[in-house]
Amino acid sequence: MKYTKSFETRSYEIDRHDALTPTALVQYLQETADHQMHDTDKDYGLIYREERKAFVVSRMSVEIMRPVCKYAHVDCDTWVVPAKAANFPRAYELYLEGDLVARAYSNWALVDVDTRKLVLQSEYDMSSYPEDREPEMGIPTRFRIPKTMEWNDGGTVPVTLTLTDINGHMNNARYYNCLYDCIPNVEEYCITSLNMRFVHEAPLGSELKILRSDFLEPGKLDPRADKIVYFKTEANGEDNVHAVFGLKRWE
């Protein structure tokens, strides 16, 4: 069983190629999950304020088959994958006129806001949520940045109020455009994959320091890409996010 939400993409969510920006695409996935929580069980705001619990993403892997343009009518499916221990996996599929254009697999932790302790799946009832099997991704959902990686300065981003969410730190979907924008000659490429590992939060008032690799061969990380770029960010001097994006030249 899956939960479906329909959207029409908007003019300010696209780039010069009439394609959804990375952040906009991930926001559609996130919005669908949030709607599903609201309609199926309890609004996330109530979970945070009344139960004092917060869902925090640890990994998000997005595979993009084709760009999505302005004013497209898309249908997004989401469902939870059976939880294990303190892991709460969630999957997504995005369709345009019945064709699969993107799919994603994510892993979340449920945290007690006051004690900062992890909540086990056996301690939180998810039985009312649509559940299905793990999707068959065309990219790995785990990756490691090579220890010998040489880094380039990708600039800094102040974590302002509009980049944060109810949890008080930079919303996970906001990272994608920040990283994408620091790729050299990025307008020459479309995105084929977005693979993120969230290590530590970036709170309001902190500064995000971005490091990026050169263009590298994709290998097994993205068979549809021409090149990949790794990223590493720091916030308040702490390891923040590890990422690798797949890129393909516009035809």
Side-chain angles (χ1 to χ4, degrees):
M1 184 184 297
K2 300 175 183 179
Y3 175 91
T4 303
K5 185 72 178 176
S6 298
F7 302 94
E8 181 183 71
T9 61
R10 296 169 288 194
S11 61
Y12 54 83
E13 297 172 325
I14 65 165
D15 61 18
R16 62 180 292 184
H17 294 287
D18 196 31
L20 276 181
T21 67
T23 280
L25 190 150
V26 174
Q27 284 176 328
Y28 280 112
L29 308 183
Q30 182 170 282
E31 187 71 6
T32 303
D34 197 82
H35 268 280
Q36 181 251 320
M37 295 178 70
H38 175 84
D39 296 345
T40 302
D41 184 19
K42 183 182 290 187
D43 186 81
Y44 181 64
L46 293 178
I47 294 174
Y48 184 88
R49 295 185 181 94
E50 295 181 359
E51 300 186 22
R52 303 298 291 160
K53 293 181 175 64
F55 278 102
V56 180
V57 65
S58 59
R59 292 182 183 273
M60 173 72 83
S61 302
V62 185
E63 182 183 10
I64 304 166
M65 290 72 174
R66 55 179 276 203
V68 178
C69 64
K70 178 177 65 175
Y71 302 146
H73 292 272
V74 294
D75 298 309
C76 187
D77 293 344
T78 189
W79 64 97
V80 298
V81 176
K84 297 178 182 179
N87 297 319
F88 292 81
R90 176 178 286 277
Y92 316 80
E93 291 177 340
L94 189 68
Y95 290 89
L96 175 62
E97 298 178 350
D99 293 331
L100 181 67
V101 293
R103 59 187 164 201
Y105 183 71
S106 60
N107 200 61
W108 299 73
L110 185 59
V111 179
D112 185 295
V113 174
D114 299 314
T115 66
R116 305 302 296 174
K117 291 183 178 179
L118 295 176
V119 178
L120 300 177
Q121 58 86 17
S122 59
E123 299 171 333
Y124 193 79
D125 183 14
M126 299 281 288
S127 61
S128 62
Y129 286 72
E131 185 178 285
D132 209 325
R133 62 181 176 81
E134 184 175 329
E136 296 182 5
M137 299 289 292
I139 59 172
T141 56
R142 291 179 178 271
F143 67 93
R144 289 185 179 181
I145 296 176
K147 293 182 179 179
T148 57
M149 184 65 66
E150 295 184 3
W151 295 106
N152 303 296
D153 182 8
T156 59
V157 176
V159 181
T160 57
L161 182 64
T162 55
L163 294 179
T164 61
D165 56 24
I166 194 172
N167 297 326
H169 53 74
M170 190 166 174
N171 181 265
N172 73 86
R174 299 285 190 180
Y175 284 92
Y176 296 89
N177 279 3
C178 294
L179 302 185
Y180 184 64
D181 283 342
C182 74
I183 299 173
N185 303 315
V186 68
E187 68 277 4
E188 299 177 7
Y189 297 90
C190 63
I191 290 284
T192 54
S193 64
L194 305 162
N195 221 331
M196 300 274 279
R197 177 173 175 253
F198 298 87
V199 181
H200 195 273
E201 62 192 29
L204 175 65
S206 62
E207 187 172 72
L208 202 68
K209 178 182 178 181
I210 302 175
L211 301 173
R212 62 162 178 81
S213 74
D214 293 328
F215 291 105
L216 301 171
E217 296 303 311
K220 296 181 179 179
L221 286 176
D222 187 343
R224 297 175 55 253
D226 294 330
K227 299 291 181 180
I228 59 171
V229 176
Y230 285 97
F231 300 91
K232 183 171 69 171
T233 65
E234 297 176 0
N236 286 344
E238 294 187 291
D239 213 12
N240 171 240
V241 161
H242 295 174
V244 58
F245 287 7
L247 305 168
K248 186 177 181 64
R249 284 194 176 274
W250 284 101
E251 298 178 352

